[in-house]
Amino acid sequence: MSKYVFGIDLGTTYSCIAYVDDRGIAQIIKNSDGNTTTPSVVAFDGKTITVGEAAKEEAVLKPNETVSLVKSKMGKTDTVIKYNGKNISPEEVSSYILKKIANDASEQLSEPVKDVVITCPAYFGTAERMATKKAGEIAGLNVLEIISEPTAAALDYGCAETHDDKTILVYDLGGGTFDVTIMRITSDRIEVICSDGDHDLGGKNWDALLMRYILKEFEEKNGSVELDASSQQDLRLKVEKLKKQLSSKPQASSMIDINGKRQVMKLNRDEFDSITNTLLSQTLNKTEEAIKVARSKGYDQIDEILLVGGSTRMPQVKNALSEKYGEDKIKVFDPDEAVAKGAAIHAVNVYVKNQKALEDKTFISSERKNDLNPNDYEEDLKVDERSMSVGGAQREIIMATTKSFAVKVTHEDKTEECVNMIIKNEPMKEGFIEVSDEFYTLFRNQATVNIQIYENDYMDKKFDVDEEFFLGNAILELPKNLPAGSPIQITMKLSGEGILEVTGLDKVENNKVNVKMETKGVMSDEKFEEVKEKVKGMTVL
Ligand code: AMP
């Protein structure tokens, strides 16, 4: 058993791992290259898998054997790359990233890495969260919990300093995703009020616009060029570097080399800002929408705006938010590290909570007492003791629902509609939310009902059916000879992690059925075991 539990920020472009050290302070663990973050890039090469900086470089040479930005595919598809004639899922690719950072951390600390909390964007739905959890399990980790990135960041922020009660907005702009979350921090709790985001808006979009601009300029001077996959990847790396340079200096340049044609491209920050202005505006609009939702729930004032995520290093972000909401409100707080550190703090909390629950319930028979290893117990205690010293970590965390969940109903005139049972941004005071509603059969002698669940972002009770939001279904068998209007009870339970369970109950004979979440992205149990076995045998460098 390990002395520590860990927090992992599984990022779109970079990932990072942290733990709470013996003094009770959350610390980032460096990887084998000595860096605090590891690129979330995986390269396939026969029996070995390379992850991180080396894989990122390999992506230039062998773009068809490398995977980047896998996070944007989680829970959405079952294949991100075909390798050696096999379809490789996003869960498997992510598991290599997790395995690499866990292995590196384990070497650094000379302690195994087993119990972890993994973060995901706040807007991730059930399928994406389930996929993230499975990726961790495939990597051989015990996933204590999945927690939203902005909540983790706020935990770290809340623990690092002593604060008065305040309402904070976390503006989290990463490599591929944007999240805005508003929460209330008091001395004993952190409560999520609302969150919103865009799963396809992040540093990569800034890179793409800049790349288009540079190519256009290049072609104006040098005539049109054909980019193969390798030169495209090379240009992408140069463009990202140029963007990063513009965060620290007002102008920067890069030598662009395409098909033997070379040109030095110069760019200043104002030009970069105007090329990418539409993207920044999208984040500002989402921010304003979230503020409106918070206001509708009685939180009129935002006291602080916390900048998280690598892309908030672009001065345009801080400038725009300062101009709109006041410079004194903006707090820059460890943009690369806050999420992993907050996850580590949460991991200690969850671990201790689980441990306490277990200790309260557990006793053993006298004949087994001799099998007990007293050292194991000591190890457990070490973790317990450490948690007591994590400054603010004893705060209760109240999550809010990040999605709405509906069932499809059919009216007498055969028109259909979705009815939300759980609505987005509702507080989960008990740590979960459970809602039961009664529905009725439409026909006499109806043999079955098909319970169909739709995950969505609407905050209204009813909306038109859209198959895009379909999450899963189950057929509930009914007793014979029922009259029309016989009652069916549907219960939805959403865990604090954001994973949904649904059951249907026929109230005449009390038959129950569990709805299986069968979106195209969720891996079957059989496939899960198969991939887990495969990954166990792979060397990850
Ligand atoms: P994250 O997913 O939070 O690690 O964010 C990674 C994103 O931040 C990538 O798109 C990076 O290009 C971007 N990024 C990191 N450092 C900087 C910087 N100094 N200036 C601009 N963007 C940056």
Side-chain angles (χ1 to χ4, degrees), residues 154-393:
L155 258 179
D156 185 36
Y157 183 62
C159 289
E161 296 159 41
T162 46
H163 297 280
D164 304 329
D165 293 358
K166 55 183 69 169
T167 305
I168 66 165
L169 182 148
V170 184
Y171 175 106
D172 180 359
L173 187 61
T177 58
F178 174 63
D179 256 330
V180 51
T181 301
I182 299 179
M183 42 185 103
R184 180 91 188 142
I185 300 187
T186 60
S187 58
D188 59 352
R189 65 156 70 157
I190 293 182
E191 183 170 355
V192 179
I193 299 162
C194 63
S195 61
D196 204 348
D198 187 332
H199 61 281
D200 198 19
L201 182 61
K204 69 173 170 70
N205 302 77
W206 269 256
D207 297 349
L209 279 192
L210 184 55
M211 184 148 150
R212 206 167 71 188
Y213 172 84
I214 298 251
L215 254 183
K216 199 167 142 265
E217 291 281 299
F218 188 87
E219 287 188 323
E220 258 169 31
K221 273 230 161 124
N222 302 284
S224 74
V225 284
E226 280 288 318
L227 280 181
D228 60 15
S230 168
S231 42
Q232 202 160 16
Q233 186 63 22
D234 183 47
L235 185 59
R236 200 170 285 142
L237 288 182
K238 284 189 173 149
V239 161
E240 191 193 5
K241 201 165 157 198
L242 191 62
K243 171 188 79 173
K244 286 184 178 173
Q245 284 173 344
L246 285 171
S247 292
S248 48
K249 32 188 204 177
Q251 53 195 19
S253 62
S254 179
M255 168 68 86
I256 306 295
D257 185 343
I258 305 171
N259 302 342
K261 293 174 180 166
R262 303 173 110 207
Q263 188 190 340
V264 177
M265 302 290 301
K266 284 195 185 125
L267 198 71
N268 68 42
R269 197 184 283 160
D270 287 346
E271 286 166 326
F272 173 65
D273 289 352
S274 85
I275 294 164
T276 55
N277 187 258
T278 48
L279 299 172
L280 184 67
S281 299
Q282 286 174 40
T283 70
L284 296 176
N285 291 344
K286 282 261 176 227
T287 304
E288 198 48 42
E289 279 168 31
I291 291 175
K292 270 194 202 136
V293 173
R295 223 175 265 144
S296 74
K297 290 174 180 281
Y299 298 92
D300 289 333
Q301 194 191 318
I302 303 293
D303 300 304
E304 285 175 2
I305 297 179
L306 190 59
L307 301 188
V308 183
S311 297
T312 59
R313 291 220 163 90
M314 294 184 291
Q316 56 176 256
V317 170
K318 195 173 171 201
N319 293 344
L321 290 169
S322 300
E323 197 175 301
K324 209 162 170 190
Y325 301 109
E327 196 179 351
D328 55 322
K329 287 206 165 86
I330 315 293
K331 309 279 166 203
V332 182
F333 184 72
D334 245 358
D336 279 335
E337 301 178 356
V339 173
K341 285 181 178 173
I345 292 167
H346 191 55
V348 174
N349 272 349
V350 176
Y351 183 83
V352 172
K353 205 170 76 194
N354 290 352
Q355 199 65 20
K356 289 232 163 79
L358 195 70
E359 278 167 21
D360 287 348
K361 278 193 220 128
T362 315
F363 51 91
I364 54 172
S365 61
S366 57
E367 66 265 29
R368 290 286 177 91
K369 184 170 175 285
N370 294 338
D371 296 342
L372 257 189
N373 178 355
N375 294 329
D376 273 356
Y377 187 61
E378 262 175 35
E379 292 279 20
D380 288 356
L381 273 184
K382 272 191 212 163
V383 178
D384 261 11
E385 281 161 10
R386 184 168 325 106
S387 72
M388 297 308 157
S389 54
V390 186

Side-chain angles (χ1 to χ4, degrees), residues 508-526:
V508 179
E509 287 196 354
N510 282 339
N511 290 327
K512 230 183 199 176
V513 69
N514 290 319
V515 177
K516 203 161 173 43
M517 301 307 159
E518 277 176 339
T519 52
K520 42 187 180 298
V522 177
M523 203 179 228
S524 69
D525 292 347
E526 202 180 23

